[in-house]
């Protein structure tokens, strides 16, 4: 909705990092040049979901959805059945009957997904295709030596080891194998497997992840430096998240929740330099729909041992927070690919809860990495 | 209490910026080498106040106060009567009868305060004296051309123009005139007058201010970059502060409150690059004592115009937050003076709500100025 | 919108007290039998405002407004110009040019408003007309002996004493003088003048007020008994309200705000039995539109003097909270008039911040008065 | 500490329901006539704990503890070893080695506890002994037919069925068997077994429970009527509790937590008349000590389906909240026993989360039961 609304001049670029003046030196692709397609395990379709967001969640203007209705219908025609085997019980429950019934091997699926990408590129006459994982969070899979090299990972696919090849890793494989850049906006495994990074390097494509930083964790990485630089010891940092919607329903399943909690919990250790008592909980509250409320209680020790606290309450609409960042990542990844960069895009750390190959967790310091990238390229690249 | 407790090894350096590992390259003065004195318009004394903080506010351990009782008594003997003329109605009401009755001209007072400083230095055999303004907030004074040069400011003193020479400026004058470094931890005018900066430059002493950043405003300068760097438009930022204690009582007076609100309100414009709708209110709630609670509501616009919010609740003990910063400023100012630096100490911007000569309002970026200073001096100064 | 939506079967009776099972014994008028008319100083019209609430505030479904569009247009035709003289600066600024330019005496206005009521009753063939004041809050007027009897109040009207006859009192006069029941949902004076109560008694019509209890104050009267019945001393109760919309704009004016703060501040004394330190502030925050956020901090002393606190954050849409109560009051007042009751309707205390002739402030105890009324009438009145 | 401080005139009766003017008609026992004794599985002692509460939690004045030090020492001498078998892993971990090592059968323990009570009564020359369970929460035990009658329960004791006889039920048995009144302030089973109620009735002693209502649940039963009587549908009510201390440590164990969550979760159904989506979580946060913070988010649907919310943050000291209620219950139970009342004391419902034989959950309506009791007895009993 947003990309098409901006392309039509119907919406302002609020929430888009790539539209900040600081990023204007980069010749990023225009919103009107982007063509959307994808896979979905559900058969609901974008238009249906957009209307729900307008009517039930009051998170979008109903008029705006109506204005891009034709665009959404066109995109819905380009959305192909997703792959859900091994994606966990909650994902299965969201999947259409057709997707659930399909008995496709991992090898067949990898082939099909790759072919979908090639066909999409050809049919739409695209210079490149960027794959972004925006699917529901999968359960954690145990990593073993067979995830360490692309050769052994290919054997897992060949032998249809469905408990060792999560869907997110199969999509990532399909993209990277055909030479398409890949970004993982979710806490699922995706390109975090060494095997897939090897593949990305080999095929010289850019990739990155994982877990888009949109709300509570963003707040954490913004606030933590206050305690760090004022020498205030954080004793406890307890976070409680409540949300509804499809995302909430999936995360209500303990198997799926585990992945999310892992990527959320790592940030404090890095940002503070020690591990305070900490807890993060996520509860499914259907009435909230797409709106998430997070309450965080931070207990800290000040001068002479006196304990004090700060609490925050974050009330945001998850899709509205995530969508512009996904567009930012598409634009920045397309640019990196266009100028033949490859490997992990460390300058994108500020977008992620668990940024690949970057230890810095302070948000403003992560943002400096992006500014440095702009500086370097502003000088290098003719516009 | 804190400085003596640390000197005796009875307290850890929580809350002290100068005790962060990042600052260890600077050969700062030890806590056991600091000698305290000062002026007070009230006759209550440090020991009395410390006991109140332990008993009424439960902000200090009663045992800790008892352990430094002798030290506090010794300091109380070195505290001399303050100067309150022109300090506003609320300050007058805190002053002892002796201070209120004294009919001292500005010129006599300036002389007396300067002599006090010289005598303190001699009697205690000190290598230097750093003056820090920690007095109650004064009403705003209207600045005019007579505050623009030290010559005309001296005429104001000579002509006893009490409505144009606030006490904080007289203390600053006394310090700088005798060559002692001066730091203004309050929102009062202090060294912000061009006349006094001229004097500081002329006498080659370091100075800085104003208004120590301890709570709600600290949070603002930490959080604002989140909105700035995510391109989320802040629509409104409303802050409500409640506090008791002497500080609360003084700020309950509208004349005094004005100074505080001014230094609090400037930060968003600089940090965001535009002026959202904003309000800051301070209410006196006696039952809170030294504890301040601030509730801030930040309303912001995200992608496609959807409005979201974040609220925070800060619960801190004002003196406990301010005291270590005052000690940090004493140590860093003493160091600057020792190595013959002079003028505004811009590297101290991260300590202040309204930092002199520094436009940066993002807390982490201000902290970088301090780190840069450490880097430069670590290489230059033999330890 | 709501009354018509319910009449058409398009909405459920959420938020309507009169639709509780406890009230079913009373044979109240059906929503489809209500006919709406009124006066407005603005010329915007209901349809325009309803669309704004759907689009800007996302407080109503756009589809619902569209479904009752014809009904709203019909009502808009029955809305006549209001009377704004003496209504305070903020009300003037909301008024249409026609209303502002009209130079109508109080006597002429009283005549006109009364005639409007009679004509409305005749044209719509109504069995009765209930007048409810839902206009913006007026400034406080000083009450004097001339407000004590209906004769002297009539002289004020006759002599065109515009500073002593607030619009709300003129509307109340017009209604009661023609024998129509009157309810004051606002903090303006309305029927609180002894003179007008005398008129109501004389003409044997029911009346009541004032200031509908919808949000923060409702919470206060619900929470206060916790402290009262647990013997926990409330030390301070500080409330901060932020809201936008027309109501917010009017209350931003200190003259108008005063009326509101008065009716808000009285409740604690009655509910607790003593007066804690208390403050209520209301700030205009345009971005919030019709949504109001209230933060209340309650500081209380428990066993052995230990201080504790409870805070609440109320986020409600003012019109959505008020509208069903206004409909409840219309239905209950129509019923009272139908069975020939007159005078102050004390059983409606639970709807008001400052209920006439009722000292009870505990919400659940006030609700018992309504239940008692239902009990008494269920037995008396054949259905 | 509190009872002795009041007896010595060192503290005011804040937080004591029995000291409200409404209860003055009852001739309750004076604080100076109460003698304290008890059992403890830990060997720490009251004095030690009181000092901790003063120093670590700053929940008591250090001076107050010092003033009653002798009294606490005397009580500590009267505290005898508790019984912990079957009390769950967390209780075991708090127990002293002596208690853990003791291999006492249920029958021997019942005998010992009963003898302790008789000896206490004789040695202290008491007119009666009231037993109040204030021990850590036990895991849930599955109730079966053998808990239905006192005969079969006695067989469980005789056969040493430790998995079916929780310590709280053994203490209750010992008390009721010897004819001493019993009150259960915890969520453990206690007198809730039909077998034990049969015993209480048979021996004509008063008893009641369970789970003292001190914080979050108290707020729930105060707030729920707002939604009920305004016809606002509660969609979700989510509560998050964080606390430290011994109680927090025990509740961190999932076995123990279950009992607590059960008694907390029942109240909404009764108070609202339907079951909203609801969750209650309790997390152990050691740094909080005896202080508990609860955040509750209530999502409700208003007029025309518009969703709104209210949140509250409760910050209280658990022992300080519970202690006066325990004293109230002792005084009211002693009174009931003195005037030969027996069976469940329904008039005490307002003190409990899960009040025996009372369906009313609205706090103010529960309080009316107590007022009715006072009214009845004020007339009956000569003072």
């Amino acid at each position: 909705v947003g990309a098409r609304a901006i392309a039509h001049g119907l919406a302002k670029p609020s929430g888009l990092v790539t539209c900040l003046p600081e990023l204007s030196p980069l010749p990023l692709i225009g919103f009107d040049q982007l063509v959307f397609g994808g896979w979905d395990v559900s058969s609901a379709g974008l238009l249906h979901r957009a209307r729900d967001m307008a009517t039930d969640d009051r998170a979008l203007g109903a008029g705006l959805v109506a204005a891009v209705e034709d665009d959404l219908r066109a995109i819905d025609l380009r959305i192909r059945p997703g792959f859900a085997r091994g994606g966990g019980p909650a994902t299965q429950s969201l999947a259409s009957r057709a997707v659930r019934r399909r008995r496709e091997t991992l090898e067949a699926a990898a082939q099909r997904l790759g072919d979908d990408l090639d066909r999409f590129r050809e049919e739409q006459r695209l210079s490149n295709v960027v794959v972004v994982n925006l699917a529901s969070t999968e359960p954690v899979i145990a990593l073993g030596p067979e995830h360490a090299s692309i050769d052994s990972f290919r054997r897992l696919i060949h032998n249809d080891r469905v408990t060792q090849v999560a869907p997110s890793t199969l999509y990532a494989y399909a993209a990277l194998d055909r030479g398409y850049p890949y970004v993982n906006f979710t806490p699922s495994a995706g390109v975090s497997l060494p095997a897939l990074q090897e593949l990305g390097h080999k095929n010289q494509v850019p990739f990155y992840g994982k877990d888009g930083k949109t709300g509570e964790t963003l707040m954490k990485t913004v606030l933590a430096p206050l305690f760090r630089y004022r020498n205030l010891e954080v004793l406890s940092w307890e976070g409680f998240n409540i949300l509804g919607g499809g995302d909430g329903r999936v995360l209500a399943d303990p198997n799926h929740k585990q992945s999310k909690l892992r990527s959320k919990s790592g940030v404090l250790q890095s940002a503070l330099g020690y591990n305070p008592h900490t807890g993060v909980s996520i509860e499914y509250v259907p009435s909230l729909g797409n709106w998430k409320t997070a309450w965080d209680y931070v207990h800290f020790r000040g001068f002479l041992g006196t304990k004090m606290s700060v609490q925050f309450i974050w009330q945001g609409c998850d899709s509205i927070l995530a969508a512009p960042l996904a567009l930012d990542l598409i634009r920045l990844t397309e640019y990196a690919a266009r100028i033949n960069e490859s490997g992990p895009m460390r300058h994108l750390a500020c977008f992620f809860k668990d940024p690949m190959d970057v230890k810095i967790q302070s948000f403003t310091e992560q943002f400096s990495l992006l500014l440095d990238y702009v500086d370097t390229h502003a000088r290098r690249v003719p516009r």
Side-chain angles (χ1 to χ4, degrees), chain A:
Chain A
V1 175
R4 297 311 303 153
I6 291 170
H8 291 306
L10 299 172
K12 292 185 191 161
S14 315
L16 282 154
V17 176
T18 49
C19 294
L20 282 172
E22 284 89 342
L23 272 80
S24 61
L26 296 186
L28 299 177
I29 190 168
F31 290 92
D32 55 346
Q33 293 176 279
L34 296 173
V35 179
F36 293 88
W39 301 281
D40 199 341
V41 297
S42 153
S43 56
L46 298 189
L47 179 55
H48 175 79
R49 293 218 189 280
R51 284 176 174 163
D52 272 5
M53 273 190 66
T55 310
D56 295 355
D57 295 333
R58 294 184 184 170
L60 274 180
L64 195 69
V65 174
V68 298
E69 202 174 301
D70 289 346
D71 302 51
L72 297 180
R73 277 213 188 81
I75 298 170
D76 269 337
L77 291 175
R78 294 194 293 267
I79 290 182
R80 309 188 49 81
F83 179 78
R85 274 185 77 203
T91 302
Q92 294 288 348
S93 75
L94 296 176
S96 67
R97 195 184 303 184
V99 164
R100 267 174 301 156
R101 285 197 178 166
R102 189 194 278 258
R103 291 277 160 256
E104 198 178 21
T105 63
L106 290 170
E107 195 150 54
Q111 180 73 33
R112 173 172 69 85
L113 299 173
D115 292 351
D116 283 349
L117 288 169
D118 288 339
R119 191 180 319 109
F120 180 51
R121 181 175 197 165
E122 281 159 36
E123 284 180 5
Q124 304 296 326
R125 299 165 187 240
L126 305 170
S127 58
N128 205 347
V129 176
V130 175
V131 176
V132 184
N133 179 19
L134 296 163
S136 296
T137 301
E138 302 163 356
V140 174
I141 53 167
L143 294 195
E146 54 289 3
H147 299 100
S149 77
I150 186 60
D151 288 343
S152 55
F153 186 72
R154 280 199 168 110
R155 273 195 298 277
L156 292 177
I157 292 176
H158 183 73
N159 296 329
D160 207 34
R161 298 290 188 215
V162 97
T163 58
Q164 293 172 288
V165 179
S168 67
T169 63
L170 195 73
Y171 285 110
Y173 171 78
L176 298 169
D177 194 44
R178 306 282 174 124
Y180 299 116
Y182 173 88
V183 173
N184 185 10
F185 202 76
T186 80
S188 302
V191 74
S192 65
L193 306 189
L196 293 171
Q197 296 179 39
E198 182 191 334
L199 181 60
H201 280 292
K202 211 175 101 186
N203 289 353
Q204 292 183 297
V205 289
F207 53 82
Y208 211 61
K210 67 183 185 184
D211 207 4
K213 186 157 76 172
T214 58
E216 192 211 16
T217 308
L218 176 61
M219 283 290 290
K220 276 186 178 170
T221 63
V222 169
L223 274 183
L226 183 159
F227 303 102
R228 177 70 187 78
Y229 296 152
R230 279 286 200 244
N231 205 3
L232 300 165
E233 184 195 355
V234 174
L235 301 166
S236 314
W237 191 312
E238 309 300 316
F240 298 90
N241 296 267
I242 51 178
L243 79 163
D247 206 19
R249 215 175 330 149
V250 169
L251 292 173
D253 185 301
N255 296 301
H256 295 253
K257 194 189 291 193
Q258 194 54 28
S259 302
K260 187 80 175 182
L261 296 183
R262 265 198 203 180
S263 67
K264 270 177 163 290
S265 65
V267 303
L268 286 180
Q269 155 79 40
S270 308
L272 295 172
Y274 56 90
N275 241 334
H277 186 278
T278 187
V280 182
S281 80
I282 304 180
E283 299 301 332
Y284 175 49
V285 177
S287 65
L288 289 171
N290 212 293
W291 289 86
K292 184 205 276 179
T293 295
W295 173 65
D296 273 44
Y297 182 93
V298 189
H299 204 202
F300 62 95
R301 198 198 309 273
F303 196 46
L304 306 180
T306 298
K307 294 175 182 177
M308 300 181 265
S309 72
V310 63
Q311 302 168 53
F312 68 81
I313 295 165
W314 172 270
Q315 297 178 300
C317 181
D318 258 18
S319 301
I320 291 291
L321 287 162
L325 303 183
L327 293 173
D328 286 328
L329 289 167
I330 290 168
R331 298 180 82 199
L332 287 161
T333 302
E334 186 280 335
Y335 172 72
R338 182 163 20 113
I339 62 171
N340 297 317
E341 291 179 337
S342 64
M345 297 177 282
R346 291 182 198 88
H347 56 287
L348 303 183
C350 68
F351 290 96
F352 294 97
K353 291 193 189 76
D354 186 7
M356 190 178 282
D357 281 4
V358 173
K359 292 272 170 266
I360 297 169
Q361 280 291 4
S362 156
F363 174 66
T364 52
E365 291 169 43
Q366 289 175 337
F367 192 74
S368 298
L369 299 178
L370 183 56
L371 293 182
D372 291 348
Y373 178 87
V374 175
D375 271 4
T376 312
H377 289 71
R379 271 176 261 123
R380 203 172 67 187
V381 179
R383 299 189 61 179

